[in-house]
Amino acid sequence: MTLQEEIARRRTFAIISHPDAGKTTLTEKLLLFGGAIHVAGAVKSNKIRKSATSDFMEIERQRGISVATSVMGFEYRDVKINILDTPGHEDFAEDTYRTLTAVDSVIIVIDGAKGVETQTRKLMNVCRMRKTPVMVFINKLDRPCKDPFDLLDEVERELQIKVRPLAFPISSGTTFKGVYNLYEHNLSLFTSDERQTADASTVEIDDIASSELDGYVGERYAAQLRSDVELVDGVYDAFDREAYLRGEVAPIFFGSAVNNFGVRELLECFIRIAPSPRPSVTETRAVEPAEPKMTGFIFKIHANMDPNHRDRIAFMKICSGQFERNKNYLHVRSGKQLKFSAPTAFMAEKKSVIDFAFPGDIVGLHDTGTFKIGDTFTEGEKLKFTGIPSFSPELFRYIENADPMKFKQLSKGIDQLMDEGVAQLFTSNLNGRKIIGTVGALQFEVIQYRLEHEYGAMCRWEPISIYKACWIESDNAEQLADFKRRKHTNMAVDKHGRDVFLADTSYALALAQENFKDIRFRFTAEF
Ligand code: G4P
């Protein structure tokens, strides 16, 4: 197969949702279709159980298990599908944001009874920023759901994207009859007797005008479907694939993941319309997947919690060319040539050493602490991929050394954990103290535990009252200098030496924005 053909047959995507909407279930059903697993329940996904939220060790243990399922590759109809798993727990949202930088499209799962929830909204913001094509699967139709038109409006309004239903449900809950596929013009009937457990069997009919439909779903629901479909065709423009690829319109599907209903339709449509690997942006130029030379970047580093295997796995997304085992590549940041003797690929729950990988693939690299998120590999060109964001953290604490004998260990530990992207480090201009900022409260516990167990260092947290950290920049050097002078006590630098304003309150931030019009206050920064 040529490089071009390998690229064309790849689909690299992530499934995102608010916890409990059905992401894990859908992932598993997709893997079943791909023959990657054979029994339900085989996927130990990145899902973090609700009961474990107060017990971060349990969460880390589950995250450890999930290394193997961080990427799930499988083949379906000659298409190579790579699903990138994302942690459901919102304290690990930043992991998810970074994973989104490595995908070419996204499937969003929404609970049909609950509609759009907070986490979905946040994740969609990241997709919108990157213009990632998204598809929506409205799940749990076997339960009483909101009205489908209301759901469509809600998705459009809350996720700020135009929608185009490609399927339409007939009722929901105990009277759920099935889904009409507007893309292929046929009907799948939900005829399972044991709705919660058994796979639904499907019946196909081609024409909803025919009285055959009444026979299957009853006159009332047949009439309802006909009028709904008419309304859909009247209200929504015809599906425009180009608009979907530009991230402007989201095709919508309905179904019930746990009943395996509507999943095949989603997958069939997905492989047909979802994008193959797209060009990647670097500081200097765009890199086309079909370029012959290999390029790739690290978007995620996963530490192993097992004390007997303290190594880390760095996940590299291949952006162009063909990756080869044992070939020298330039690690652009250090300027060193590195080669990998045991790069791994992930096929469902199995991890295996590979000889080659192609654009869109994710390769696991053994890391002993050398790599950072955002690191680029090439065949010699000094490229740096952009667009891997770090988000303004929301929780802050001073970190103090609790064991004076272990100063070095502490510094090294903090350094490496920050490189992994566990949290962000700021150094206060006021007193030179180190401040850790995170998106979730759990990270403080994680950091403390890992510093102790992996680096033999002890830390102590002290409170600091900060509302938000934002990166500041300006073309008006005078105003910037003036701002930094006046706000000296609220200024800090991040670990790349960039200026950060630590606003005490939302009022202080608003006031600063008002008074210093030439300064851009950024809530995301790029690595
Ligand atoms: P998540 O990864 O998005 O957090 O969600 P997950 O797939 O784990 O699903 C959350 C719960 O919703 C699970 O039930 C799952 O069985 C259920 N579920 C998923 N799809 C459907 C559906 O189409 N219909 C209905 N009725 N339920 C669905 P649970 O009781 O929390 O877990 P489990 O014990 O069943 O695994």
Side-chain angles (χ1 to χ4, degrees), residues 221-289:
Y221 291 111
Q224 178 75 45
L225 178 67
R226 291 185 191 111
S227 91
D228 284 348
V229 168
E230 203 179 311
L231 193 57
V232 166
D233 287 336
V235 171
Y236 298 98
D237 295 338
F239 175 63
D240 174 357
R241 180 173 179 231
E242 290 308 312
Y244 156 70
L245 293 176
R246 288 194 302 270
E248 291 167 9
V249 62
I252 312 274
F253 291 84
F254 291 85
S256 169
V258 79
N259 290 297
N260 211 356
F261 190 82
V263 178
R264 183 185 291 278
E265 288 77 0
L266 176 76
L267 181 59
E268 292 286 342
C269 184
F270 175 82
I271 58 171
R272 229 174 307 159
I273 69 170
S276 50
R278 309 196 296 168
S280 315
V281 182
T282 70
E283 280 174 353
T284 38
R285 65 184 187 89
V287 172
E288 292 290 332

Side-chain angles (χ1 to χ4, degrees), residues 298 301-302 309-314 338 340 365-372 412 416 419-420 455:
I298 290 174
I301 296 176
H302 208 307
H309 303 277
R310 268 292 144 64
D311 48 355
R312 311 195 291 184
I313 297 182
L338 299 175
F340 302 98
L365 306 175
H366 180 246
D367 174 30
T368 49
T370 323
F371 302 144
K372 282 189 190 188
K412 180 175 174 206
Q416 289 201 351
D419 288 348
E420 261 179 51
Y455 300 93

Side-chain angles (χ1 to χ4, degrees), residues 17 20-25 47 139-140 142-143 196 256-258:
S17 74
D20 269 349
K23 178 169 73 73
T24 312
T25 312
K47 182 177 168 75
N139 191 27
K140 305 200 185 181
D142 58 313
R143 293 245 183 99
Q196 298 303 322
S256 169
V258 79

Side-chain angles (χ1 to χ4, degrees), residues 47 67 189 249 291 333:
K47 182 177 168 75
V67 172
L189 289 172
V249 62
E291 289 180 19
R333 184 170 51 83

